[in-house]
Amino acid sequence: MKAITVEPRKPGTARLEDIPEPGAPEGSVLVEAIAVGICGTDVEIADGKYGWAPEGAKRLVLGHESLGRVIDPGPRKTLRPGDLVVGIVRRPDPVPCPSCAVGEWDMCRNGKYTERGIKEIHGFMSERWRIEPEYAMKVDPSLGLLGVLLEPTTVVAKAWEQVAAVGHRAFWEPRTVLVTGAGPIGLLAALLAKQHGLEIHVLDRVESGPKPELVKALGATYHSGAATDVGFQPDVIIECTGVGAVIADSLRAVSAGGVVCLTGVGSGGRVGTLPIADMAAEVVLRNNVVVGSVNANKRHWYRAGEALARADRSWLARLVSRRVRPEEFASALKREPDDIKVVVQFSEA
Ligand code: BGC
């Protein structure tokens, strides 16, 4: 079967090639791929900056934002042929650490977790893939191709849970949210904020095009300046850019008692000579919390599934801005100006 594979840490090695059918040890559920979303992590892996091949292998099957159709549900009858499913990305570490031991693999403490398409287990960019039944999440069939948005939605479902957990350390009545970055994660974070009934503001660099339109269509306010120039102090900032200057502005812009949740994985981004102690003093005097959030456990997958099922389909459909065939995967890895979510489509939904 055809698969998109890469030799991790070697830039430019991604290719479409024939690989053997997935073997039984990979899971008792056999799935036909429909689509796989591309995110910044995939681009980093293809650029040789991130990623690990399975033990004993040189290459890794790419892809962690899956959507597929069950061909064979295997002996456990929790799924039926034809069900639309998305594969959970992370697997607990084998030790296991206390977090993995209780199913919170997203909070793994020793870093020995594995991730499909990212860290030591093959991903979903192959015509067929196998999965363990307990890691196959059924999606609302009416979502069709939009089920491919489930994985990025789990990431923001977890981020929101983190913000709420931190917020409840004191009296907590958040009203305003600023999301920095109007990519898929930012827009999905805004969608969840909307569902929570908050006043939403989204900030990005661009001044026109699909991003401002999607923000307005959600009933939110779009800004294209700095976080410090939005004209109010947000109770919550969900930072989705990973850009140093935007992060620094977010720390300055958040309200007293406010929470900044970092979801972007950037690098470098030195911002002049940041006066760390001065910034820390502000954080102390205003009781701020800066919380990092990565990945998602089953609770977040469940919540994300509910959120997507409730969302307006035509708005969600506008997030999937480009679909490419597996043979054209290289073009999917190159960002175009109006891209939101690019997906590699293997078959019809
Ligand atoms: C994925 C997460 C993963 C993280 C770090 C993100 O792109 O969505 O599931 O934990 O990368 O590898």
Side-chain angles (χ1 to χ4, degrees):
M1 64 171 180
K2 295 264 180 279
I4 297 160
T5 68
V6 63
E7 191 174 331
R9 311 287 165 160
K10 275 210 180 161
T13 55
R15 65 176 185 234
L16 180 69
E17 62 174 332
D18 278 310
I19 64 164
E21 291 287 332
E26 291 175 44
S28 58
V29 182
L30 179 64
V31 180
E32 172 197 22
I34 294 174
V36 186
I38 301 272
C39 85
T41 303
D42 301 303
V43 176
E44 290 243 308
I45 298 172
D47 286 349
K49 296 182 187 146
Y50 194 61
W52 298 260
E55 212 187 310
K58 228 175 164 191
R59 300 183 71 83
L60 170 77
V61 176
L62 206 55
H64 61 278
E65 298 186 4
S66 62
L67 173 69
R69 185 180 290 106
V70 173
I71 301 175
D72 178 0
R76 240 199 270 169
K77 297 291 176 218
T78 45
L79 291 166
R80 285 205 237 132
D83 280 347
L84 293 188
V85 288
V86 176
I88 291 182
V89 176
R90 193 175 280 198
R91 298 292 173 275
D93 79 73
V95 177
C97 74
S99 298
C100 286
V102 299
E104 296 197 349
W105 49 71
D106 58 312
M107 302 293 289
C108 181
R109 313 255 186 104
N110 61 23
K112 292 184 177 157
Y113 63 84
T114 52
E115 287 180 337
R116 290 202 64 160
I118 301 174
K119 189 168 182 275
E120 297 160 23
I121 5 179
H122 287 314
F124 303 104
M125 278 194 200
S126 52
E127 287 178 290
R128 282 165 292 285
W129 39 270
R130 280 188 172 273
I131 191 154
E132 314 85 331
E134 60 276 26
Y135 290 102
M137 298 299 291
K138 210 160 131 175
V139 290
D140 186 322
S142 73
L143 281 167
L145 179 74
L146 302 175
V148 76
L149 297 171
L150 182 59
E151 196 278 340
T153 309
T154 67
V155 167
V156 294
K158 172 177 173 181
W160 273 111
E161 195 186 80
Q162 293 290 306
V163 168
V166 169
H168 284 115
R169 74 205 150 130
F171 179 69
W172 177 240
E173 201 178 50
R175 295 209 167 104
T176 53
V177 178
L178 175 67
V179 176
T180 54
I185 292 289
L187 290 167
L188 290 167
L191 169 72
L192 266 59
K194 179 81 185 167
Q195 292 183 347
H196 293 156
L198 296 159
E199 179 189 313
I200 310 146
H201 297 255
V202 181
L203 176 152
D204 199 289
R205 284 185 298 198
V206 297
E207 287 173 5
S208 59
K211 289 180 177 179
E213 284 162 22
L214 279 158
V215 170
K216 279 180 207 137
L218 200 60
T221 309
Y222 186 81
H223 303 261
S224 58
T228 43
D229 291 336
V230 291
F232 68 101
Q233 295 188 321
D235 297 319
V236 177
I237 299 185
I238 309 280
E239 207 299 301
C240 306
T241 69
V243 173
V246 182
I247 297 166
D249 282 348
S250 299
L251 299 180
R252 290 190 192 102
V254 73
S255 72
V259 182
V260 178
C261 181
L262 305 178
T263 67
V265 185
S267 59
R270 192 178 294 276
V271 186
T273 44
L274 253 191
I276 296 290
D278 292 354
M279 291 197 74
E282 289 291 311
V283 169
V284 170
L285 294 171
R286 294 183 312 176
N287 287 297
N288 289 137
V289 176
V290 180
V291 57
S293 180
V294 70
N295 196 254
N297 66 42
K298 228 169 187 175
R299 191 169 67 243
H300 312 120
W301 279 82
Y302 171 78
R303 287 202 169 130
E306 298 281 297
L308 271 194
R310 270 202 304 277
D312 176 61
R313 298 290 188 277
S314 60
W315 187 83
L316 287 180
R318 289 163 69 191
L319 298 189
V320 181
S321 53
R322 199 151 58 93
R323 305 191 222 168
V324 307
R325 289 181 292 118
E327 301 76 50
E328 305 163 324
F329 77 89
S331 78
L333 291 167
K334 278 198 205 89
R335 201 175 291 264
E336 286 182 12
D338 282 349
D339 279 344
I340 310 266
K341 175 57 70 189
V342 180
V343 305
V344 177
Q345 192 160 0
F346 284 81
S347 65
E348 284 307 309

